[in-house]
Amino acid sequence: MDAPARAEELRQLLRDASHRYYVLDAPTLSDAEYDRLFRELEALEAAHPELATPDSPTRRVGAAPSDKFAKVTHLRQMMSLANAMSEEELAEFDARVHKLLGEEKVRYVMEPKLDGLAVTLTWRQGKFVQGATRGDGLIGEDVTQNLRTIKMIPLQLAGAPPELFEARGEVFINKRDFVKMNEEREKAGEPTFVNPRNCAAGSLRQLDPRMTAQRPLSIYFYEVGEGQEFTTHWEKLARLREYGLRTNPENELLESLDAVKDKYRRLLEKRHALPYEIDGTVVKVDSEDQRRRLGAVSRTPRWAIAWKFAAEEEATTVLDIQVSVGRTGALTPVAFLKPVHVGGVTVSRATLHNEDELRRKDVRVGDRVFLRRAGDVIPEIVRVIVEERPPEGRAEFQMPRTCPVCGAAVVREPDESVTRCTNLSCPAQLVGRLRHFASRLAMDISGLGEETCARLVQEGLVKTPADLYALSREQWLSLERMGDKSADNLLAALEASKRTSLKRFLYALGIRMVGEATALAVARRFGKVQAVLDASLDDLQAVRDVGPEVARHIWTFVQNAENRAAIDRLLQAGVAPEAEAAAATAGVFAGKTVVLTGTLTGSTREEAKAEVERRGGRVAGSVSRKTDLVVAGADSGSKLKKAQELGVRVVDEQGFRELLK
Ligand code: IVH
């Protein structure tokens, strides 16, 4: 598409999005999507100035106020902030500030960027007389009556305020209250809010103030409009508090760019622990004199910037829903999505877990959905944008009645949410079990991926893992797309996998609920395969960290004749699981918790971990007061720093190798 056409398309998209957001309170674009389109348009208009029409969304701060409320002309424009999406962009902002100001020292105040609704409140002779939304920055909506219902807004200011005083702040709702409100609305059959911000906006823009009064709205103040001048922002914040206006306790005065970056990281870490949602931070020049000299460009001041966190919520389209069958036979509906960048990674599918989840969210093929990814958490479909469904609707998704892979009947136990394929030799289950058997933390047979496993099963060459060890070179070569080199590598990997640990072996069997940690506990307790096979249910339950349910799964598994035969055949094929360090009383790391960080050159992380475990230690993922030792490889970062702060013993890779000797 050429530039003029794209610019027009972007303008249309952005206009429509603002209208839905501000006027209809029913957004269809996520903030991040809106930002991205907005930036694309800004860039296009910068490159082709002739494309910048006077009515372009880039020329306005927000959207037109709706006609539900009386209009209020702001005494001073309510500006909005430019965004920095990365540390580089923040550094550019700081460089610009310094360039414009010369050699001067610049202090910054950093505030959480609250995800709510900006308002301006006016007091005359200390009495609250008016409150307005930002609207388009020049003209907002009169929401005085609604604001009066928010108890933390003083109707009478404390201290000695000037005759006229305007304060600006953000109206928002705490996450907890938001969830509670949505639950109540759902019970009442009312539509739920997509996120806390929309909930706050919708609540403040109620026509009936009695409705607003029932919503648990909060406010933090962060700027002063007309009425009083200050020397610094920090002093301004203190004065707001003197007048009885809440400011955010997270706000901080910072002396340098490094301190700003550090604060950003601290807020990012704290983000989910805060009672309200923030989508980033606001970095503001502290000195009011410097602010005046920096000035503004059209709609944004040069003295402040919103340094945002990576988007965690995005909208995308469900292209398909497919049901996959895992190694335990569980049928899992999976949504295939139009790829979208969220929380730092590209996501093209999201699990819908099971039938209940699917029903609850009511996801249908073709739907637009909001996708969320928080921290390291797997991506999740938060909700369907039902408003965007075509009027004729879309077909509801039906869980299949038979296994989509083998056609066998599926069952759903009354007290379970999982639907399972009943056929133990279902090819999908076989493939899943093989794949698990070969995986890195199990037998670690590299080169035996999903595709190869599927071919082996398809060709009928493998029915149980032991069959893998019986395949000849010719048989491997008979597989589609298998070359000489791959076949040799596989044979070597299989041979190498025979010398393994009992823990890996037990884990590789794929017993339900037996993860790595359980496998290790059982291996340490019994030492030999035969001892595990001979163990009674009581013996198994006596193992530390093994609960009754897990013990029963292990016991049932090894009592099953077919499973026993499969294990026997593995042992006969030459698989020889070695005993683990019997208990946490032997070895240099006996009873110790070790954290591995940075890059190790002499071995992989997994190997190093195995070495520690073989010597009675436990490897943990993060450093705490309970950590006994941190092994810091090359380029160690925050974990090393934390260890030093806590006074935890640290060794480098060489020191680690010494300990292993
Ligand atoms: S200062 C010119 N401080 O972000 C300065 N804004 O894009 C204008 N916001 O409309 C605002 N937290 O809704 C400021 N601590 C904070 C903020 C904040 C959230 C919002 C506010 C504003 C938008 C600017």
Side-chain angles (χ1 to χ4, degrees):
M1 197 182 294
D2 58 356
R6 179 62 180 162
E8 185 46 40
E9 183 181 61
L10 287 168
R11 278 196 288 270
Q12 204 45 55
L13 279 168
L14 290 167
R15 255 184 230 124
D16 184 53
S18 308
H19 178 74
R20 300 196 60 110
Y21 181 99
Y22 286 103
V23 182
L24 304 180
D25 284 333
T28 45
L29 283 187
S30 71
D31 279 11
E33 259 178 328
Y34 185 91
D35 278 355
R36 204 166 40 245
L37 296 177
F38 193 92
R39 287 177 148 227
E40 189 187 338
L41 182 58
E42 269 184 334
L44 261 182
E45 291 177 347
H48 310 274
E50 73 281 4
L51 293 181
T53 58
D55 65 339
S56 171
T58 57
R59 300 297 174 93
R60 312 204 303 173
V61 171
S66 76
D67 45 21
K68 287 203 292 190
F69 296 93
K71 292 179 179 42
V72 173
T73 305
H74 298 301
L75 295 179
R76 285 191 197 175
Q77 182 178 7
M78 282 180 82
M79 291 192 284
S80 81
L81 297 168
N83 289 336
M85 305 306 280
S86 64
E87 198 168 300
E88 288 75 54
E89 291 186 6
L90 191 267
E92 282 166 24
F93 161 78
D94 176 65
R96 202 161 51 242
V97 165
H98 279 279
K99 194 166 153 237
L100 290 165
L101 293 176
E103 296 289 277
E104 289 170 32
K105 177 175 173 66
V106 176
R107 282 193 188 84
Y108 291 110
V109 173
M110 222 162 155
E111 303 170 357
K113 186 166 190 301
L114 288 160
D115 212 2
L117 188 77
V119 288
T120 289
L121 282 74
T122 313
W123 288 264
R124 285 186 190 274
Q125 287 152 347
K127 289 203 172 17
F128 176 58
V129 291
Q130 189 176 67
T133 63
R134 186 177 64 171
D136 67 1
L138 299 171
I139 298 174
E141 296 166 336
D142 186 337
V143 286
T144 312
Q145 298 315 318
N146 292 348
L147 286 167
R148 289 180 80 93
T149 68
I150 301 178
K151 299 213 171 51
M152 56 187 70
I153 294 179
L155 299 178
Q156 171 74 52
L157 290 181
E163 147 67 26
L164 166 77
F165 187 73
E166 256 191 9
R168 295 183 170 171
E170 196 87 351
V171 171
F172 64 96
I173 188 163
N174 281 335
K175 290 185 274 195
R176 272 255 277 303
D177 293 327
F178 162 72
V179 172
K180 216 168 83 197
M181 235 185 86
N182 261 356
E183 280 169 4
E184 280 162 16
R185 287 173 74 85
E186 199 165 334
K187 269 188 223 140
E190 292 169 60
T192 52
F193 290 107
V194 185
N195 56 38
R197 199 244 342 271
N198 279 291
C199 181
S203 302
L204 191 62
R205 298 175 70 261
Q206 283 291 325
L207 280 176
D208 182 352
R210 283 171 303 184
M211 295 292 288
T212 308
Q214 289 165 20
R215 308 281 173 88
L217 294 175
S218 302
I219 189 166
Y220 276 127
F221 291 92
Y222 46 64
E223 286 295 338
V224 169
E226 200 65 34
Q228 197 164 13
E229 302 300 326
F230 297 89
T231 321
T232 65
H233 183 62
W234 197 240
E235 175 200 359
K236 181 197 305 164
L237 293 173
R239 192 62 60 89
L240 284 168
R241 285 191 296 276
E242 270 175 43
Y243 294 159
L245 304 173
R246 293 202 330 152
T247 63
N248 195 317
E250 302 295 332
N251 295 347
E252 214 171 304
L253 178 62
L254 303 159
E255 298 287 331
S256 68
L257 183 62
D258 279 341
V260 166
K261 291 178 185 170
D262 179 62
K263 171 77 177 172
Y264 178 87
R265 280 186 277 275
R266 279 185 283 134
L267 273 175
L268 186 56
E269 255 171 50
K270 213 174 175 180
R271 176 184 197 179
H272 295 289
L274 292 173
Y276 42 80
E277 279 209 344
I278 62 176
D279 58 352
T281 65
V282 183
V283 183
K284 301 173 173 179
V285 169
D286 184 42
S287 154
E288 291 289 333
D289 172 54
Q290 288 178 337
R291 283 191 183 191
R292 269 187 292 278
R293 282 184 285 139
L294 286 164
V297 223
S298 75
R299 60 189 198 99
T300 55
R302 283 207 201 84
W303 46 260
I305 196 158
W307 186 8
K308 298 259 218 140
F309 297 146
E312 293 195 313
E313 203 168 303
E314 280 283 1
T316 188
T317 306
V318 178
L319 303 175
D320 197 8
I321 298 175
Q322 289 179 15
V323 174
S324 74
V325 182
R327 67 182 165 89
T328 63
L331 268 57
T332 308
V334 179
F336 286 76
L337 308 164
K338 188 158 170 254
V340 60
H341 208 67
V342 51
V345 296
T346 303
V347 177
S348 56
R349 56 172 95 178
T351 174
L352 293 162
H353 303 285
N354 54 52
E355 190 174 11
D356 289 349
E357 268 295 292
L358 183 85
R359 278 288 155 270
R360 196 172 65 74
K361 292 187 175 148
D362 191 19
V363 179
R364 306 180 188 191
V365 175
D367 279 348
R368 290 246 308 154
V369 294
F370 278 116
L371 192 73
R372 186 204 306 261
R373 183 175 176 274
D376 290 334
V377 179
I378 45 173
E380 182 201 10
I381 289 178
V382 190
R383 75 150 207 161
V384 172
I385 307 172
V386 188
E387 303 85 312
E388 287 210 351
R389 269 200 195 139
E392 68 275 17
R394 285 194 178 108
E396 206 174 289
F397 182 80
Q398 296 299 337
M399 278 299 263
R401 299 233 176 96
T402 55
C403 172
V405 176
C406 72
V410 299
V411 290
R412 189 179 156 177
E413 300 297 336
D415 54 346
E416 267 203 66
S417 52
V418 186
T419 310
R420 277 180 215 281
C421 163
T422 50
N423 173 15
L424 264 181
S425 36
C426 166
Q429 291 191 43
L430 277 180
V431 172
R433 287 202 290 269
L434 281 183
R435 186 61 215 105
H436 175 75
F437 181 82
S439 64
R440 206 166 44 92
L441 299 172
M443 300 298 278
D444 194 18
I445 306 166
S446 59
L448 197 55
E450 179 86 36
E451 229 177 291
T452 312
C453 290
R455 292 229 171 80
L456 289 169
V457 170
Q458 208 178 349
E459 299 295 323
L461 290 172
V462 174
K463 296 218 160 50
T464 84
D467 296 334
L468 288 170
Y469 294 93
L471 292 178
S472 67
R473 189 163 186 277
E474 284 62 43
Q475 284 175 307
W476 281 111
L477 281 170
S478 74
L479 291 181
E480 211 178 299
R481 284 206 256 157
M482 177 70 63
D484 283 321
K485 190 147 181 260
S486 313
D488 289 338
N489 287 345
L490 263 166
L491 285 166
L494 277 162
E495 198 50 40
S497 75
K498 289 179 181 173
R499 280 205 57 210
T500 188
S501 68
L502 182 55
K503 166 199 149 186
R504 281 173 175 273
F505 183 79
L506 291 174
Y507 175 66
L509 293 176
I511 305 169
R512 280 202 23 216
M513 298 183 74
V514 176
E516 255 198 298
T518 304
L520 180 61
V522 173
R524 278 192 173 150
R525 168 69 185 76
F526 295 101
K528 287 202 181 72
V529 178
Q530 194 55 47
V532 181
L533 298 181
D534 294 342
S536 69
L537 192 53
D538 282 345
D539 294 338
L540 286 163
Q541 287 188 351
V543 180
R544 223 181 77 195
D545 298 338
V546 174
E549 206 186 341
V550 180
R552 180 162 289 282
H553 277 301
I554 300 173
W555 189 75
T556 317
F557 185 94
V558 299
Q559 291 310 311
N560 174 292
E562 272 177 51
N563 291 336
R564 276 195 178 237
I567 293 171
D568 269 352
R569 286 192 50 220
L570 279 169
L571 300 178
Q572 272 158 29
V575 175
E578 262 174 50
E580 317 287 325
T585 51
V588 269
F589 297 127
K592 298 261 188 314
T593 301
V594 179
V595 172
L596 305 170
T597 182
T599 316
L600 300 179
T601 50
S603 62
T604 65
R605 271 277 169 100
E606 283 315 318
E607 285 161 358
K609 184 175 177 208
E611 299 281 8
V612 171
E613 287 173 356
R614 207 167 296 154
R615 289 162 181 78
R618 195 177 79 84
V619 172
S622 61
V623 178
S624 73
R625 278 175 211 291
K626 290 192 192 129
T627 310
D628 296 294
L629 178 74
V630 168
V631 177
D635 301 321
S636 295
S638 59
K639 286 180 194 171
L640 172 58
K641 209 171 136 203
K642 179 117 188 247
Q644 286 161 343
E645 278 165 21
L646 294 175
V648 172
R649 183 177 167 210
V650 177
V651 294
D652 61 8
E653 183 167 1
Q654 206 189 336
F656 176 58
R657 303 277 163 224
E658 294 292 324
L659 288 172
L660 294 181
K661 277 184 192 160

